[in-house]
Amino acid sequence: MVDSIPDNYGTYAGDGIHDGWQTTHFGSNPTQGGMNDDPDHDGVSNFLEYAFGMTPTQSDAGFLTYSGTTLIQPGLPTTWMQPTPSGVDFRAVFVRRTAPVAPALRYTVQFSADLTSWQNSTAIPDFRASGTDVEVVSVRYPLFLNNGRKARFFRVQVETVNPAP
Amino acid sequence: MSKFFLLFSGGLSLTSHPTLPKIPAASSFARITGVAVGILLIPFSVSADIVYSGQRDIAIPDTFDGVYLDVQDGTLSGSEFAGWDLNFLFGGTGIGNSPGLQPVRSGTGTLDSVVNLGTGALVDQFNLYASAGSYGGSENHLSAGGAGSDPKQFTTGQEGYLGFAAIISGQTYYGWMRVILTNNAPGSRILDWAYDDTGATITTGTTIGLSHFTKNDTGLTVLSQPHTYGGLTTVSVGTLELTGNAQPGVTDGSPASGTVVNGSGTLRLSGVTIGNEALTLSDNAKLEVAGISTWAGSLSLGSAANAIVDMGDSSAETTTVLTFGTFNPDNTWTSTLSVWNWSGIPVTGGGPDQLLFQNNLLNPAVLSRIQFYSDQGITTVGDGAAFTASGELVAIPETTVSTMTAVMMAWVFVSHRRESRLGR
């Protein structure tokens, strides 16, 4: 059964998803619990369902929602904008895991003008809201990339960090 | 190590942008055109063409897409299109530029802030631009206003001027654009813009240069402020209205280059005082007058000109006075001058409509070809014209039949007396 090592169980081992989350949703002898599986057919793989705090067995590929500092509904990343005295505060907002702490995930927000070349955000995400084992954070959305092109697209890259052997 | 991506458009959660209508290309632009003949009249060795957008008042949407603009032909769109030059988004919080147009910035970096040059600033090669051929963006050019604001910043909700170098067919042209930018609040506008398509420098806020002004489009163009172009003003098509503080040419104390109204053109004077420059009405040209105006120079009529001076609608009569320096039709002038909607007082003058000349060189033959009408060229007032002692051009009464009869009877009487004395 699942042990104290978070990512070493059977076919769940080394996929960057906590074994406990996988067994909770798919049991101990899964057929659709792999990181690339999408059993709810909402276009979001189990890995990203885990990373964004979504439910892998429900077709719930909407955008995240929050109110104040409370996460209302986990979901896909989105944008947020509010006028300021000297412009607008435009942000890319996403959900990231706070627990379990392992296996660790790294979230990188990237922007692009053409879907071909991508520019990493170097901003440290700031806290906006919290939920169960997840939190909502944001980074400033630059209107323009370093090459002067308009940042028409953004994406959130999620990587496993030091996956278990 | 695994990597996974989710992709989102920047405008994904924003309201959809409206599709802005395309504006007609070129036809709505006033073109300020240099002509060779003008060089003879002004102390400049270079003539220039200035392309002016006219007053556009284009709303900047409060969306990520915003509005894209081609300054060369005025094309607008809510999305990128081939040939776009500037992109204003979030009410002007963001300003993007294509490689074809470089705005004046605070530095030479592609992301350095676009600066507010204000009015009366020179746009030339000494301003700071990013490298030609590069895209650029600006999102720190707005301030909330008040003490401590960078004077080179735009203040949200207030008018400002950006300068630019447009690259058209490999040639650099300097221009300006008047805008009102906001922090995504209502009221952001692209008001108008102009560029000099000879590569000469240009000053923000004015359609100036070492240039001439030729109105080649239909419709109305209004000039309400002094203009410092030095060349000829020509109204070829449509109506050019001079109002407020307008001056069609430089006013440095010497006669300016003059204004010519051609056959399909109308010049409207609305309560203005124009300096010492010549006004020439060509054949079928029209001069409209409203309020009290002065043209210190001369009024000239071409030799074949049948011109019209319209004193305004007499049904809503208000005082309309136009004072010229001199009336100087061509010596060979054999056509007519029609004064429409005239509600002056024949012979003595001093009525609601007055057409005054401080000096005139007209002879009786010319005066006989000036006709006053109470409407637009249908109902005559008197027959011919004369000058009063104060210099007002007035209608003279038509010679009546009874007067002619009396004259004939007197002649017959005198003839009869002479014949009687001669014993015939």
Side-chain angles (χ1 to χ4, degrees):
Chain A
M1 293 303 296
V2 178
D3 53 26
S4 59
I5 300 175
D7 192 18
N8 69 341
Y9 178 74
T11 57
Y12 294 151
D15 60 6
I17 305 175
H18 194 275
D19 294 340
W21 185 87
Q22 287 173 299
T23 55
T24 297
H25 291 289
F26 304 112
S28 58
N29 190 21
T31 57
Q32 291 187 305
M35 62 183 297
N36 294 319
D37 293 333
D38 180 21
D40 57 4
H41 305 293
D42 60 2
V44 183
S45 69
N46 287 336
F47 180 81
L48 291 177
E49 296 263 11
Y50 172 74
F52 293 136
M54 302 162 68
T55 303
T57 55
Q58 294 178 5
S59 182
D60 56 355
F63 301 118
L64 71 93
T65 58
Y66 67 98
S67 177
T69 57
T70 302
L71 175 64
I72 303 298
Q73 178 67 47
L76 300 176
T78 187
T79 56
W80 177 92
M81 188 277 292
Q82 177 174 286
T84 68
S86 59
V88 296
D89 184 9
F90 190 41
R91 294 186 166 274
V93 185
F94 61 98
V95 172
R96 70 180 180 187
R97 285 225 156 249
T98 55
V101 295
L105 301 178
R106 179 188 297 134
Y107 298 76
T108 305
V109 181
Q110 300 178 316
F111 302 95
S112 176
D114 54 10
L115 298 176
T116 301
S117 60
W118 294 89
Q119 175 180 305
N120 289 352
S121 170
T122 57
I124 298 173
D126 68 340
F127 170 83
R128 303 197 77 82
S130 61
T132 303
D133 295 337
V134 295
E135 64 181 359
V136 179
V137 293
S138 73
V139 298
R140 193 183 74 84
Y141 193 123
L143 302 182
F144 303 96
L145 304 173
N146 292 339
N147 62 7
R149 297 297 303 269
K150 191 172 180 179
R152 298 179 59 205
F153 308 97
F154 85 96
R155 68 184 182 185
V156 178
Q157 174 183 289
V158 184
E159 303 169 80
T160 57
V161 181
N162 299 321
Chain B
M1 187 170 288
S2 304
K3 290 185 180 179
F4 294 86
F5 303 105
L6 270 185
L7 182 66
F8 305 92
S9 163
L12 200 60
S13 65
L14 305 175
T15 54
S16 61
H17 59 74
T19 301
L20 296 174
K22 269 195 171 184
I23 59 174
S27 62
S28 57
F29 280 59
R31 189 171 187 81
I32 305 167
T33 306
V35 287
V37 66
I39 297 173
L40 301 175
L41 303 173
I42 58 173
F44 298 121
S45 60
V46 178
S47 64
D49 289 1
I50 292 181
V51 178
Y52 176 58
S53 67
Q55 296 183 19
R56 304 306 299 270
D57 199 25
I58 300 163
I60 301 173
D62 56 352
T63 63
F64 183 79
D65 288 327
V67 60
Y68 290 80
L69 168 68
D70 181 345
V71 301
Q72 190 177 3
D73 62 13
T75 300
L76 298 173
S77 177
S79 59
E80 277 193 17
F81 61 92
W84 72 273
D85 293 312
L86 285 167
N87 174 213
F88 294 86
L89 56 150
F90 284 146
T93 291
I95 303 174
N97 66 275
S98 76
L101 185 144
Q102 298 300 327
V104 176
R105 299 180 180 280
S106 59
T108 56
T110 55
L111 299 183
D112 286 329
S113 294
V114 171
V115 297
N116 178 10
L117 295 174
T119 184
L122 195 64
V123 183
D124 58 17
Q125 72 270 29
F126 299 111
N127 293 117
L128 297 177
Y129 306 91
S131 300
S134 59
Y135 287 91
S138 173
E139 52 184 302
N140 294 304
H141 49 264
L142 272 176
S143 77
S149 296
D150 185 338
K152 289 184 177 180
Q153 284 188 305
F154 291 85
T155 300
T156 182
Q158 294 185 16
E159 192 174 286
Y161 290 85
L162 62 87
F164 62 79
I167 296 92
I168 302 171
S169 301
Q171 174 72 39
T172 299
Y173 304 110
Y174 298 104
W176 55 262
M177 181 174 287
R178 188 165 58 108
V179 295
I180 297 173
L181 308 180
T182 71
N183 54 345
N184 208 35
S188 52
R189 294 280 190 278
I190 302 169
L191 299 174
D192 54 4
W193 65 91
Y195 66 91
D196 188 312
D197 71 0
T198 67
T201 61
I202 192 170
T203 300
T204 57
T206 56
T207 49
I208 72 163
L210 311 176
S211 62
H212 309 263
F213 185 109
T214 299
K215 178 169 168 52
N216 278 333
D217 61 331
T218 59
L220 174 66
T221 297
V222 179
L223 300 181
S224 60
Q225 293 297 320
H227 289 69
T228 57
Y229 59 87
L232 189 69
T233 301
T234 303
V235 185
S236 291
V237 181
T239 298
L240 175 66
E241 180 175 2
L242 304 180
T243 187
N245 297 316
Q247 290 291 340
V250 291
T251 53
D252 58 358
S254 58
S257 302
T259 297
V260 173
V261 185
N262 289 326
S264 298
T266 297
L267 178 65
R268 181 181 300 159
L269 305 179
S270 299
V272 292
T273 299
I274 306 299
N276 183 18
E277 67 172 280
L279 171 61
T280 300
L281 301 182
S282 303
D283 191 27
N284 289 323
K286 188 177 180 185
L287 174 64
E288 294 181 349
V289 187
I292 298 175
S293 296
T294 298
W295 190 290
S298 63
L299 171 62
S300 297
L301 301 171
S303 60
N306 291 294
I308 296 167
V309 175
D310 190 342
M311 302 299 286
D313 185 2
S314 60
S315 64
E317 190 55 59
T318 56
T319 300
T320 304
V321 178
L322 174 59
T323 303
F324 274 102
T326 59
F327 191 4
N328 186 28
D330 187 286
N331 289 332
T332 60
W333 184 65
T334 56
S335 299
T336 63
L337 174 65
S338 300
V339 183
W340 285 5
N341 291 312
W342 188 70
S343 50
I345 299 175
V347 182
T348 60
D353 287 346
Q354 298 178 33
L355 192 54
L356 294 156
F357 294 85
Q358 295 168 349
N359 188 15
N360 74 84
L361 302 173
L362 295 187
N363 57 47
V366 171
L367 286 170
S368 69
R369 289 192 285 274
I370 299 174
Q371 182 61 57
F372 289 83
Y373 296 86
S374 60
D375 49 23
Q376 296 187 343
I378 299 172
T379 308
T380 59
V381 178
D383 185 15
F387 279 102
T388 67
S390 62
E392 182 178 347
L393 187 65
V394 294
I396 57 174
E398 191 171 353
T399 304
T400 62
V401 173
S402 59
T403 302
M404 288 297 295
T405 302
V407 170
M408 289 296 293
M409 288 182 67
W411 182 82
V412 169
F413 176 76
V414 170
S415 297
H416 178 73
R417 290 281 304 269
R418 288 179 65 197
E419 288 173 354
S420 296
R421 286 204 300 269
L422 293 172
R424 292 179 181 175

